Structure formats: C-alpha cells, structure tokens
Amino acid sequence: MEQTVYTNYWQNRLTGVKKEHGSYTSEEEAVNGIKAWWELHKEDYPHAEYKRTNSGALEIIYNDDDHFYRVEKRKTNQPLPKSKAKLRNKNEVASIRQKHGLHDEAFLFEELAEPYRDRLMMAMNDSKKLRQYTFDSEGRPIKKLNDK
C-alpha cells in the first residue's frame, strides 16, 4: 500500500554530503526529530530559518548557509521502520560488549537512560538502526558497531 512519508536529511552544501536521519508519517514529526537531535547534542538554534523550496521540501538553515536540514515528502510502498525498540536482554548486551571490546564510556541503546532512548527514537525513528550504534552516556552516537 502506497503511503506518504517525510524523510529528513542533514546536508553540507560545500562538500555535497547528505546524510539521512529518519522517515516519519508527518512533516511535523520530521521537524521534531531534528529538534530531538539538537537536544541530544546540546545545541539550540532559536533563529533557525524554515524555508520552503520550489519542490515543496522544507529546508531548515540552522547555523550558516552551508549546513542545513531538509525534509522531503515522498511516496513509498515500503512500511516505515519500527519506532518501538525491543530491548535486548542483559546477556545479549554483555555478549555484544565483549564481542566488540566496548570501553566503559561506550553504551548500547539498551544501556542508556530512558529519556535519551526516547530522544534517540524521536531523532532517528528506526529501532533497527539504533541497535547498530554505540553511544556516549548522553545518547550521542559514537560509531556503528560494525566499524573497526
């Protein structure tokens, strides 16, 4: 069944880098996802500019003209990723920590305090993706688990 989704991207005009953050059922949720990301990184942009492009995308210019977020509306037949994370048990967490040799300052999603997990879920809206990263104690991503 075809549905409309709103995907947010972080973009750098200078380097052409474009990183997808998450997809949502409404544009408002996508914007809230961006704000949750800022919260996690202790960033505040009260003077961010919200501009609608000719294609209908919403661009949020938050710091300078070279870095911005873009919320694009698109149609898809694919379901949105699950936004409710099934937490791994203590044994699974211990096994993953050992396998990857995680240091004491690196945390799996399940080991974070619930407010950080909630903000991360709002920011990325994909439980599967969240389980692929390690985080610092305040919920900021450190690296993907499969990265060396």
Side-chain angles (χ1 to χ4, degrees):
M1 182 170 102
E2 188 173 79
Q3 65 178 330
T4 301
V5 298
Y6 297 83
T7 303
N8 60 24
Y9 301 91
W10 175 85
Q11 292 186 244
N12 181 326
R13 287 187 213 275
L14 297 175
T15 62
V17 173
K18 182 177 181 178
K19 295 181 180 179
E20 182 179 329
H21 274 241
S23 293
Y24 305 83
T25 57
S26 74
E27 187 176 73
E28 181 182 358
E29 286 178 359
V31 171
N32 287 338
I34 293 166
K35 290 177 180 178
W37 186 259
W38 290 345
E39 264 185 66
L40 284 165
H41 289 83
K42 298 191 183 334
E43 297 172 357
D44 186 28
Y45 301 103
H47 302 295
E49 294 180 55
Y50 295 74
K51 294 182 178 180
R52 186 75 57 190
T53 67
N54 289 340
S55 67
L58 177 66
E59 288 188 353
I60 303 169
I61 300 148
Y62 63 96
N63 197 21
D64 58 43
D65 287 340
D66 297 327
H67 302 88
F68 63 99
Y69 284 89
R70 182 177 174 96
V71 179
E72 297 178 1
K73 178 180 174 180
R74 62 186 173 90
K75 300 264 188 210
T76 182
N77 288 320
Q78 301 299 316
L80 282 174
K82 292 185 181 188
S83 60
K84 298 282 186 205
K86 180 177 183 281
L87 301 179
R88 295 175 277 211
N89 66 42
K90 288 191 299 186
N91 292 335
E92 288 176 285
V93 168
S95 174
I96 292 168
R97 290 191 69 79
Q98 183 178 20
K99 176 181 175 184
H100 293 281
L102 299 181
H103 54 81
D104 292 342
E105 290 85 34
F107 299 90
L108 298 175
F109 180 73
E110 291 80 3
E111 298 174 300
L112 295 171
E114 194 169 341
Y116 295 126
R117 291 195 313 244
D118 291 346
R119 276 190 223 111
L120 276 165
M121 186 58 74
M122 188 180 295
M124 296 173 90
N125 205 39
D126 185 342
S127 61
K128 189 175 180 180
K129 190 185 295 185
L130 287 169
R131 292 168 57 121
Q132 297 173 357
Y133 285 88
T134 59
F135 304 90
D136 69 10
S137 63
E138 296 180 344
R140 295 175 295 228
I142 298 173
K143 69 175 192 168
K144 267 190 152 179
L145 283 173
N146 59 359
D147 290 350
K148 300 289 179 197

